[in-house]
Amino acid sequence: MTHESFKSLYQRAADRKGGKLALELLLGKRILGKKLLDDNAAEESISQLTDDRVLAAFTKQIFKSGFVWRVVENKWPDFEEHFFNFNIEKMLMMPEEMLERKAADPKIIRNYNKVKTIKANAQMMFDISLEKSISFAQFINDWPSEDIIGLWAYLKKHGQRLGGNTGPYALRLLGKDTFILSSDVEAYLRAQQIIDGGLQSKKSLTAIQAFFNTLQTQSGYNLTQLSRLIAFASGDNYVQVEE
């Protein structure tokens, strides 16, 4: 089956969003609810981040998964204080008893299973630093976008609770270019018969990556913009640019 071209996809999205100029504005923004915010993340080099910020991003996204995001944001300063600003070495030296005590503190979200991921993911990051003599931020930065699903798989296998969309959302938070398999994007991929099985199966992810790589070759847009474009062309049409 021949899949839809970038040109066709772009035109439909532009028609739904009030024209090409309006669409371009949307593609350069990130959406929070129905608000449009400047998206500066992609302009920053991930390699300049320290690994404590990477661990913080992983942890924040893990706690946001299945929970009210606003509550996580409101409590985040206490998370930073409780967990030594996510210093990798300090987290690795933290005894389990201390971790349990901190997980029970009402100042943070009391979920011990999620709290345990902080130390586990710190270990993953530390291991990469030892093995490759680079920061984990550099490791993420260097991973090629044409195999972003490979990075997803690495985080899922070697980290904790970074599978599904949690890892990709954390990467997006850090400024790594990645598509997101939202419900709108998934619906489009199924309608186009790009996938027909489980969304997270190796077969499906390989087909999805190949499709995004083709769109990228046709357009020059990054993966973040392309996944937004698909959502704008096929999802709920509620985000508009106000004149």
Side-chain angles (χ1 to χ4, degrees):
M1 177 180 177
T2 301
H3 302 310
E4 184 175 23
S5 68
F6 169 80
K7 183 178 180 180
S8 171
L9 186 66
Y10 184 93
Q11 187 58 57
R12 188 167 69 258
D15 290 343
R16 299 180 82 216
K17 297 303 176 186
K20 293 182 179 180
L21 178 59
L23 177 60
E24 288 296 331
L25 288 172
L26 286 169
L27 291 176
K29 302 282 186 178
R30 61 188 175 94
I31 301 168
L32 185 62
K34 295 187 179 182
K35 296 181 180 179
L36 298 175
L37 304 175
D38 288 332
D39 188 1
N40 299 317
E43 299 174 5
E44 300 172 1
S45 174
I46 303 169
S47 62
Q48 301 302 311
L49 296 174
T50 52
D51 278 353
D52 58 287
R53 293 305 87 203
V54 178
L55 182 59
F58 286 162
T59 305
K60 180 180 284 190
Q61 204 57 52
I62 287 168
F63 273 89
K64 282 182 174 180
S65 179
F67 203 73
V68 180
W69 288 28
R70 176 174 48 81
V71 175
V72 178
E73 292 290 351
N74 289 342
K75 287 180 174 285
W76 197 249
D78 290 316
F79 273 89
E80 293 278 355
E81 180 181 351
H82 269 56
F83 299 109
F84 308 111
N85 294 310
F86 297 96
N87 180 280
I88 303 297
E89 289 76 15
K90 288 182 179 179
M91 286 307 309
L92 291 177
M93 291 189 294
M94 185 181 292
E96 292 300 321
E97 309 82 60
M98 182 183 291
L99 204 61
E100 288 184 28
R101 288 199 305 272
K102 288 181 177 293
D105 194 315
K107 287 185 177 180
I108 67 166
I109 296 165
R110 291 175 288 183
N111 185 322
Y112 182 53
N113 287 329
K114 289 189 175 184
V115 166
K116 287 192 297 184
T117 68
I118 303 174
K119 189 171 183 178
N121 290 330
Q123 186 66 60
M124 169 186 66
M125 296 169 63
F126 184 75
D127 290 344
I128 280 291
S129 297
L130 283 182
E131 178 187 344
K132 298 184 178 295
S133 299
I134 58 173
S135 68
F136 201 80
Q138 187 69 55
F139 176 73
I140 291 174
N141 185 77
D142 293 347
W143 200 286
S145 64
E146 60 267 23
D147 180 38
I148 197 64
I149 62 169
L151 181 54
W152 294 6
Y154 186 93
L155 295 178
K156 180 180 179 180
K157 180 179 179 180
H158 297 280
Q160 282 193 9
R161 288 182 177 254
L162 292 173
N165 269 338
T166 303
Y169 271 117
L171 292 173
R172 179 78 67 81
L173 182 65
L174 290 165
K176 180 66 176 177
D177 185 32
T178 181
F179 50 83
I180 298 290
L181 298 179
S182 65
S183 57
D184 287 337
V185 172
E186 179 184 359
Y188 174 84
L189 295 169
R190 293 191 184 282
Q192 290 289 311
Q193 298 181 30
I194 294 165
I195 60 171
D196 57 11
L199 180 64
Q200 295 290 338
S201 71
K202 185 175 181 179
K203 178 183 176 182
S204 291
L205 290 176
T206 300
I208 293 167
Q209 179 78 70
F211 177 65
F212 271 93
N213 289 350
T214 298
L215 289 180
Q216 199 165 30
T217 300
Q218 292 175 351
S219 68
Y221 283 68
N222 62 37
L223 299 178
T224 298
Q225 292 170 319
L226 289 171
S227 63
R228 287 174 180 161
L229 183 69
I230 290 172
F232 294 154
S234 56
D236 291 334
N237 194 25
Y238 63 82
V239 178
Q240 299 283 353
V241 174
E242 296 181 1
E243 297 183 357

